[in-house]
């Protein structure tokens, strides 16, 4: 029923389709020239706008906010260390994470707005690769602002040599994106927080690698722990 | 030097290359901001939407897939949806259908970039080929962020009819625009 498929175009543009419906429509899109043309038009229509002059300093404010987000406690490069080792595996991970995070000054700052109503959506244990002996679990938490946060808590991580660091990655169709670091304390414990925005569906795997240095944009080291999302 | 494509820049951004994000920002700042001002009628809200958009790009939220269309289509669609979200969060009343304005400006573009000027001229010519009702559908749906339900309610039309009319108006606009561009290309090729 071609027309019915085409009528979904409007919902597609409004980003209202479920993941399944979106996939179905995108299959239709591959063969429907009319729908393809409308999608292409979306890249032309804004040129109908009257030129508006950005206010002074807008670029630095916008990009500053982007990179500031990255450096917030919930963002990629925040490393939380020196936490006490405890046996959390038998408890509710979400509860433990929130209690422990509330005691952490970095996380407290970040959670100020939404602690009371934050909801843990998923709690997943990561599987060690080969002979690796450490443990880790991730929790996906939705704050009151609908923003999702990935929290990775690891214990019994093997000590690191030199500049090496454990790095967290989110992977979509084999393509990794950096999602924080774990710098274990003397007991092998570390926590990383990463803001996901509002979409979880884009990612299929979370993994931790042992990287030779801080700051890698793509993994160089082997995966030591991983789990499907 | 050959210009880096949008897709190449996007790939570098996915690898957390700040310089690539800055290049992309510079490339689209003016048109994106102008588009968001047109949608929100509020420069402050437009700047907020810009920020949302670039945070999403930097974080890889809602990934761009080259097989689903050109980069600008993805960028502007994502930006439009970000603006609509902000408008609704702020609960700023959308303009009434009667006050929705016109797609075509009567003011000439003065010193703007030639590329923008050319594109605007072509699209405005194509818009003129649409009926007033079709122009209104595009204005309300695309630029004013009306949902198709709201348009149906305001116009007293069934939902399916409104969806079809919006889609057909967009299809017609794109086809006319395509013909105009082909005609211009042929004209330039002939050296006239």
């Amino acid at each position: 029923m071609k027309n019915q498929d085409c009528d979904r175009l409007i919902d597609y543009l409004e980003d209202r389709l479920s993941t399944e419906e979106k996939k179905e429509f995108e299959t239709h899109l591959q063969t429907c020239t009319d729908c393809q043309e409308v999608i292409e038009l979306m890249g032309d229509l804004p040129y109908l706008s009257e030129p508006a002059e950005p206010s002074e300093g807008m670029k630095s404010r916008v990009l500053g906010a982007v990179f500031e987000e990255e450096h917030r406690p919930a963002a990629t490069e925040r490393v939380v260390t020196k936490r006490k080792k405890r046996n959390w595996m038998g408890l509710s991970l979400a509860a433990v994470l929130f209690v422990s995070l509330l005691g952490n000054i970095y996380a407290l700052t970040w959670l100020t707005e939404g602690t009371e109503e934050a909801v843990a959506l998923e709690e997943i244990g990561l599987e060690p690769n080969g002979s690796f002996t450490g443990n880790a679990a991730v929790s996906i938490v939705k704050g009151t602002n609908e923003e999702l946060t990935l929290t990775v808590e690891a214990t019994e991580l093997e000590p690191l040599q030199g500049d090496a660091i454990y790095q967290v990655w989110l992977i979509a169709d084999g393509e990794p994106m950096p999602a924080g670091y774990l710098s274990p304390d003397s007991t092998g414990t570390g926590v990383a927080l990463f803001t996901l925005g509002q979409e979880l569906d884009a990612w299929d795997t979370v993994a931790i690698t042992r990287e030779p240095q801080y700051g890698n944009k793509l993994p160089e080291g082997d995966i030591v722990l991983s789990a499907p999302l | 030097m050959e210009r880096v494509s949008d897709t190449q820049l996007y790939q570098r951004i996915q690898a957390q290359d700040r310089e690539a994000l800055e290049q992309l920002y510079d490339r689209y700042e003016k048109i994106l901001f102008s588009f968001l001002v047109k949608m929100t009628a509020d420069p402050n809200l437009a700047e907020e939407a810009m920020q949302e958009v670039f945070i999403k790009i930097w974080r890889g939220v809602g990934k761009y897939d080259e097989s689903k269309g050109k980069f600008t289509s993805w960028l502007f669609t994502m930006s439009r949806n970000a603006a609509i979200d902000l408008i609704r969060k702020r609960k700023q009343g959308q303009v009434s259908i009667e006050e929705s304005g016109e797609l075509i400006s009567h003011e000439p573009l003065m010193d703007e970039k030639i590329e923008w000027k050319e594109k605007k001229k072509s699209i405005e010519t194509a818009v003129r080929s649409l009926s007033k009702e079709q122009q209104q559908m595009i204005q309300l749906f695309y630029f004013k962020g009306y949902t198709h339900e709201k348009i149906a309610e305001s116009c007293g039309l069934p939902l399916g009819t409104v969806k079809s009319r919006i889609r057909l108006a967009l299809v017609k606009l794109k086809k006319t625009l395509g013909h105009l561009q082909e005609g211009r290309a042929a004209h330039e090729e002939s050296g006239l």
Side-chain angles (χ1 to χ4, degrees), chain A residues 17 24-25 57 64 70 149 154 163 171 192 206:
Chain A
L17 298 178
E24 284 172 14
F25 180 77
E70 185 189 21
T149 299
D163 295 328
I171 301 170
V206 57

Side-chain angles (χ1 to χ4, degrees), chain B residues 51-128:
Chain B
Q51 193 171 302
E52 291 271 324
V53 168
F54 280 91
I55 285 174
K56 283 184 176 180
I57 293 172
W58 183 244
R59 289 183 185 169
V61 177
K63 277 181 175 296
Y64 167 60
D65 180 347
E66 203 173 357
S67 69
K68 291 172 194 162
K70 61 185 180 184
F71 180 80
T72 47
S73 302
W74 174 80
L75 175 67
F76 291 137
T77 299
M78 182 177 68
S79 304
R80 177 179 166 275
N81 288 332
I84 290 171
D85 282 348
L86 283 177
I87 291 167
R88 289 179 189 157
K89 276 181 194 165
R90 292 274 185 99
K91 295 185 178 168
Q92 288 186 343
Q94 293 163 315
V95 291
S96 70
I97 283 183
E98 290 73 27
E99 296 167 351
S100 63
E102 293 181 11
L103 274 183
I104 307 167
S105 160
H106 300 289
E107 299 295 323
L109 269 181
M110 298 303 286
D111 299 325
E112 294 311 321
K113 285 197 298 188
I114 293 171
E115 186 192 357
W116 186 337
K117 209 169 177 175
E118 290 290 323
K119 279 189 179 182
K120 190 170 192 290
K121 199 174 155 189
S122 293
I123 302 168
E124 284 188 340
T125 305
V127 165
R128 287 195 183 91

Side-chain angles (χ1 to χ4, degrees), chain A residues 3 6-16 26 29-30 33-35 37-55 57-63 65-67 69-72 76-77 145 147 172 175-178 194-199 202-203 217-218, chain B residues 14-16 18 21-22 25-26 28-31 33-35 37-38 47 50-51 54-55 58-63 68-70 72-73 76-77 80-81 89 103 105 107 109 112 115-116 119-120 123-124 127 138 141-143 146-149 160 163-164 166-167 170-171 173-175 177 181:
Chain A
N3 287 339
C6 291
D7 274 345
R8 283 181 153 181
L9 172 66
I10 302 304
D11 292 318
Y12 181 74
L13 292 176
E14 291 185 320
D15 199 20
R16 289 176 174 215
E26 284 171 351
L29 192 56
Q30 285 171 0
T33 316
D34 281 351
C35 288
E37 286 184 349
V38 171
I39 301 278
E40 196 181 334
L41 183 67
M42 299 299 111
D44 295 325
L45 277 178
Y47 289 92
L48 277 177
S49 312
E50 294 305 302
E53 201 58 47
S55 62
M58 188 175 90
K59 178 180 173 180
S60 58
R61 285 193 300 277
V62 169
L63 293 184
V66 171
F67 299 130
E69 282 285 317
E70 185 189 21
H71 285 93
R72 282 168 65 190
T76 324
E77 294 181 2
N145 57 0
E147 201 159 63
E175 290 188 18
M177 183 184 81
F194 181 72
T195 304
L196 281 170
Q198 296 183 349
E199 290 187 27
W203 309 104
K217 303 304 179 196
L218 290 169
Chain B
Q14 293 307 287
Q16 303 289 283
R18 290 180 179 215
L21 188 77
E22 191 177 343
Y25 180 92
D26 290 341
Y28 288 105
E29 180 190 52
K30 195 71 187 287
I31 179 63
F33 183 66
S34 302
F35 171 47
V37 168
K38 182 173 174 67
E47 182 173 328
M50 288 278 281
Q51 193 171 302
F54 280 91
I55 285 174
W58 183 244
R59 289 183 185 169
V61 177
K63 277 181 175 296
K68 291 172 194 162
K70 61 185 180 184
T72 47
S73 302
F76 291 137
T77 299
R80 177 179 166 275
N81 288 332
K89 276 181 194 165
L103 274 183
S105 160
E107 299 295 323
L109 269 181
E112 294 311 321
E115 186 192 357
W116 186 337
K119 279 189 179 182
K120 190 170 192 290
I123 302 168
E124 284 188 340
V127 165
I138 292 174
F141 172 74
Y142 190 76
F143 288 105
Y146 268 76
T147 62
H148 61 269
E149 285 97 340
K163 277 193 199 183
S164 294
I166 297 169
R167 187 177 59 79
L170 292 168
V171 168
L173 183 60
K174 181 60 194 173
K175 287 194 188 301
L177 190 57
Q181 284 164 346

